[in-house]
């Protein structure tokens, strides 16, 4: 590399410590750019090269990526909120009040969590609509559409379980009515309702169950299904192409 | 040396270095995305895709932060089994369901969402045509748009046109609750 | 060794298939068993419940023609010429708490707009079943008691003038 005086970034990138963390060439060269992706645990599911079409904002509106970003925001703010929230009928409401009026940055984190949750529902639905309108659910991507529908359900499940946690009137009655609807399911309704509530009505058991679902079970399911969703995009041949090019690439699978 | 059975030498798309050895890693059926094109048609993921992703993420995060600073998340009265708020509105994304449930718990709460869900899950297996251009799939696009619109209309009815006791009202009438849906 | 020596005999194949099928079947059954046990674990054997029988005060606290909402019990205690009756305030549609509808002499549900008449029978809306009637009785020391754990048929009044 012909360079007069290497900047501090270059000097850092040449140092022992840097090279012990990031193997391979620094980005900038073709090989460095490739290694930045495939030698990174968090990026290696991405292809090293993408078609320019994939980058067009007006094709995907980056909706899937935004949904994932919102999930990350929700996970981060959610973990933060868990430090103060107590899933008990006596204390839940007051712990939210504390977050609102006593805890530094409490209102901000709670607001971020709430608005990100609303935004996620919108974005996931829009993403589904985009995938439909661009015919991206068609072969060979059928199964990834199914995974996507499950992710939509999980998103709604997060919203429904999260709503009860502040133990306010809105959440309490949403949970009462929601589990009432579950009770109307044929054959298994009563049993599933009992499983969700841990009792006959929305009380302490229900609050604890919704809390465990919201903070453990659903996040685990969401993370594994999201990983599957991303993996399948790659395995099914990347993002769909415009109709004219797609027919050519429809046979192609990345091995 | 190349045996004759492999046919003619393929066109030299990738310049080969004499200092390296090349091995056959896998055989892939089908056409390559790079058919009739040089590799320069694809751009590297870093920086092209990832930087765009980063910018998009920063824009979204700024918007979220602004929303979180401007608008407070609602917190209603403490839960009480004795008193149901009137009207007791579900969060906006469930208002369509609430509107349906108001007609019948089973049809609106189980049958309609269950069928919608089954339809969504099975959609790629039901629609097996390979048509991708919008003009070749008018019926599908109409049906799907209708489905989305129906949901939207139900949500808007629930949000703006339902008042106390889930009776009809208008957003501009006096008995519309001030509470956020 | 020739390649065909490695190929199993036909009988062997079917025996292997049988064992493999049996193995997979046992594995699937074990996994299903664990899932079933987990579901069973989650469905509680005890259900927290408030004491269903409650004393709610003396009869003369409730004048004839009154309709009192007993908040902590989610029950309406009504008294008319025929006596006392206790109606559950839990909507039979999806479990919201119904409110007394003063204008129409009945009850209405704020959630989905069901309406019930004074006897608790559904009049309009999605609710199909009538509000539950709970038994009202007099305790030995002359106080009213209701039992929310039991539902009785409509028309069961506690008439005081008989005593």
């Amino acid at each position: 590399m012909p360079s007069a005086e290497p900047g501090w970034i270059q000097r850092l990138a040449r140092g022992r410590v840097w090279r012990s963390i990031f193997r391979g060439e620094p980005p900038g060269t073709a090989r460095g750019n490739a290694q930045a992706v495939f030698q990174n645990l968090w990026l290696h599911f991405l292809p090293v090269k993408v078609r320019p079409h994939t980058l067009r904002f007006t094709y995907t509106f980056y909706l899937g990526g935004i949904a994932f970003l919102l999930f990350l925001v929700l996970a981060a703010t959610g973990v933060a909120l868990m430090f103060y929230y107590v899933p008990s009928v006596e204390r839940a409401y007051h712990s939210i009040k504390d977050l609102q009026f006593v805890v530094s940055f409490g209102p901000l984190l709670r607001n971020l969590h709430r608005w990100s949750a609303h935004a996620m529902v919108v974005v996931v639905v829009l993403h589904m609509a985009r995938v439909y309108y661009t015919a991206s659910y068609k072969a060979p991507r059928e199964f990834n559409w199914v995974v996507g529908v499950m992710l939509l359900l999980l998103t709604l499940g997060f919203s429904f379980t999260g709503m009860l946690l502040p133990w306010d009137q809105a959440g309490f009655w949403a949970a009462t009515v929601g589990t009432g609807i579950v009770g109307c399911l044929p054959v298994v309704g009563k049993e599933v309702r009992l499983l969700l509530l841990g009792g006959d009505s929305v009380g302490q058991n229900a609050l604890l169950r919704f809390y465990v679902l919201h903070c453990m079970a659903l996040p685990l399911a969401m993370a594994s299904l999201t990983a599957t969703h991303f993996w399948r995009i790659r395995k099914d041949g990347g993002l769909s192409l415009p109709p004219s090019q797609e027919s050519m690439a429809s046979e192609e699978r990345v091995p | 040396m190349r045996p004759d059975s492999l046919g003619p030498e393929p066109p030299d798309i990738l310049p080969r270095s004499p200092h390296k050895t090349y091995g056959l890693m896998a055989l892939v059926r089908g056409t390559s995305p790079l058919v009739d094109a040089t590799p320069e048609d694809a751009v590297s993921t870093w920086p092209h895709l990832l930087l765009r992703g980063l910018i998009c993420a920063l824009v979204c995060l700024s918007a979220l932060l602004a929303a979180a600073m401007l608008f407070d998340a609602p917190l209603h009265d403490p839960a009480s089994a004795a008193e149901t708020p009137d009207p007791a509105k579900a969060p906006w994304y469930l208002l369509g369901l609430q509107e349906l449930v108001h007609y019948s718990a089973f049809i609106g709460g189980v049958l309609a969402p269950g069928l919608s869900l089954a339809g969504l899950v099975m959609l790629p297996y039901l629609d097996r045509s390979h048509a991708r251009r919008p003009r070749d799939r008018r019926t599908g696009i109409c049906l799907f748009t209708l489905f989305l619109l129906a949901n939207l209309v139900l949500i808007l009815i629930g949000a703006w046109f339902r008042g106390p006791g889930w009776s009809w009202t208008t957003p501009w009438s006096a008995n519309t609750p001030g509470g956020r849906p | 060794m020739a390649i065909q020596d490695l190929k199993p005999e036909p009988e062997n194949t079917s025996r292997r298939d049988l064992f493999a099928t049996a193995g997979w079947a046992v594995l699937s059954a074990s996994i299903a068993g664990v899932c079933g046990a987990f579901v069973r674990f989650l469905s509680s054997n005890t259900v927290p419940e408030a004491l269903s029988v409650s004393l709610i005060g003396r009869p003369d606290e409730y004048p004839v023609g009154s309709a009192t909402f007993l908040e902590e019990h989610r029950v309406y205690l009504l008294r008319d010429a025929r006596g006392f009756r206790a109606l559950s305030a839990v909507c039979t549609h999806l479990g919201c708490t119904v409110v007394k509808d003063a204008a129409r002499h009945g009850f209405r549900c704020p959630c989905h707009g069901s309406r019930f008449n004074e006897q608790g029978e559904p009049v309009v809306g999605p609710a199909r079943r009538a509000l539950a009637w709970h038994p009202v009785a007099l305790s030995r020391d002359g106080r009213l008691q209701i039992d929310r754990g039991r539902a009785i048929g409509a028309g069961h009044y506690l008439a005081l003038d008989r005593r």
Side-chain angles (χ1 to χ4, degrees), chain A:
Chain A
M1 248 214 252
S3 88
E5 185 68 19
W8 64 272
I9 297 181
Q10 277 82 13
R11 268 184 281 142
L12 187 71
R14 274 185 219 154
R16 268 181 88 94
V17 178
W18 181 276
R19 282 185 295 137
S20 77
I21 303 171
F22 302 103
R23 298 163 161 276
E25 223 169 90
T29 61
R31 184 204 290 205
N33 286 346
Q35 287 182 341
V37 172
F38 76 73
Q39 293 201 338
N40 184 314
L41 170 66
W42 309 104
L43 301 176
H44 82 277
F45 69 91
L46 290 167
V48 163
K49 291 204 160 202
V50 292
R51 302 179 192 92
H53 166 78
T54 306
L55 304 175
R56 248 178 55 207
F57 180 73
T58 47
Y59 188 67
T60 61
F61 301 97
Y62 295 2
L63 286 165
I66 294 174
F68 181 58
L69 172 79
L70 289 169
F71 177 64
L72 293 182
V73 171
L74 284 161
T77 53
V79 169
L81 294 174
M82 280 173 78
F83 281 102
Y84 282 96
Y85 176 76
V86 188
S88 117
V89 167
E90 285 82 29
R91 294 178 61 192
Y93 189 76
H94 297 291
S95 58
I96 301 292
K97 281 276 185 211
D98 278 354
L99 274 165
Q100 262 190 327
F101 295 108
V102 182
V103 180
S104 303
F105 294 108
L108 184 72
L109 283 170
R110 188 170 111 82
N111 292 351
L112 269 178
H113 196 74
R114 177 68 69 101
W115 300 137
S116 304
H118 284 260
M120 190 161 164
V121 177
V122 176
V123 169
V124 166
V125 169
L126 289 178
H127 176 56
M128 186 178 80
R130 191 285 288 176
V131 169
Y132 183 85
Y133 288 124
T134 57
S136 308
Y137 59 94
K138 297 199 171 186
R141 300 185 178 83
E142 304 104 315
F143 183 66
N144 220 12
W145 168 273
V146 177
V147 177
V149 173
M150 288 193 260
L151 286 170
L152 169 67
L153 275 186
L154 281 180
T155 307
L156 293 175
F158 267 112
S159 298
F160 179 60
T161 51
M163 212 180 152
L164 179 66
L165 301 188
W167 203 247
D168 68 348
Q169 281 286 62
F172 180 87
W173 291 105
T176 302
V177 171
T179 52
I181 294 174
V182 170
C184 294
L185 283 171
V187 190
V188 291
K190 295 274 174 291
E191 192 58 36
V192 177
R193 183 169 181 271
L194 186 68
L195 276 180
L196 275 175
L197 293 180
D200 287 336
S201 55
V202 181
Q204 176 61 61
N205 282 5
L207 180 59
L208 191 56
R209 278 170 189 230
F210 277 46
Y211 175 72
V212 174
L213 284 174
H214 190 78
C215 303
M216 282 305 301
L218 292 178
L220 286 175
M222 192 78 159
S224 7
L225 275 182
T226 307
T228 312
H229 201 57
F230 289 177
W231 182 238
R232 287 299 302 230
I233 298 174
R234 180 86 189 277
K235 290 286 147 184
D236 295 339
L239 294 195
S240 64
L241 296 169
S244 52
Q245 294 171 42
E246 182 65 30
S247 52
M248 266 181 6
S250 65
E251 286 286 304
E252 165 222 351
R253 303 274 168 92
V254 178

Side-chain angles (χ1 to χ4, degrees), chain B residues 6-153:
Chain B
L6 283 183
E9 191 81 22
D12 200 14
I13 296 173
L14 290 158
R16 286 179 216 182
S17 158
H19 306 297
K20 291 179 187 165
T21 50
Y22 293 86
L24 181 67
M25 302 308 288
L27 286 172
V28 183
R29 183 189 295 279
T31 51
S32 148
L34 300 180
V35 150
D36 295 336
T38 54
E40 283 69 46
D41 270 6
V43 296
S44 53
T45 300
W46 172 267
H48 297 277
L49 173 66
L50 291 174
L51 271 190
R52 274 164 223 244
L54 183 67
I55 292 167
C56 171
L58 289 178
V59 170
C60 292
L61 282 178
S62 318
L64 272 179
L65 260 179
M69 288 196 276
L70 287 176
F71 307 104
D72 273 337
L75 181 64
H76 302 260
D77 293 338
S80 150
E83 191 200 352
T84 308
D86 191 7
K89 289 206 177 181
W92 62 267
Y93 42 83
L94 295 181
L95 279 177
L97 192 64
Q98 190 174 9
E99 176 66 19
L100 287 178
V101 159
H102 146 259
Y103 296 105
S104 155
F106 179 74
I107 295 174
V110 177
L111 210 60
L115 287 178
S116 310
L117 182 64
L120 279 180
V121 168
M122 295 191 303
L123 174 77
Y125 304 101
L126 297 175
D127 172 13
R128 287 189 294 185
S129 85
H130 289 288
R132 283 173 188 275
R133 281 173 304 191
R135 65 166 173 271
D136 297 334
R137 38 198 294 269
R138 285 212 177 107
T139 324
I141 285 182
C142 282
L143 286 176
F144 194 78
T145 310
L146 220 62
F147 173 69
L148 289 182
L149 278 181
N151 275 291
L152 186 69
V153 166

Side-chain angles (χ1 to χ4, degrees), chain C residues 48-120:
Chain C
E49 224 174 32
L51 201 60
S52 71
V53 179
S54 326
L55 291 167
I56 50 169
R58 307 208 156 265
D60 45 12
E61 290 169 30
Y62 306 94
V64 175
S66 69
T68 317
F69 180 47
L70 307 170
E71 233 180 65
E72 55 186 308
H73 310 298
R74 286 178 90 189
V75 160
Y76 279 96
L77 186 73
L78 300 106
R79 185 177 188 182
D80 60 18
R82 279 174 287 180
F84 285 97
R85 67 186 192 276
L87 256 64
S88 165
V90 181
C91 180
T92 55
H93 176 226
L94 290 171
C96 294
T97 303
V98 296
V99 290
K100 190 89 181 72
D101 194 345
R104 287 195 185 81
H105 299 291
F107 305 90
R108 67 184 176 81
C109 176
C111 286
H112 307 98
S114 297
R115 273 210 294 274
F116 304 88
N117 66 17
E118 279 196 308
Q119 306 297 307

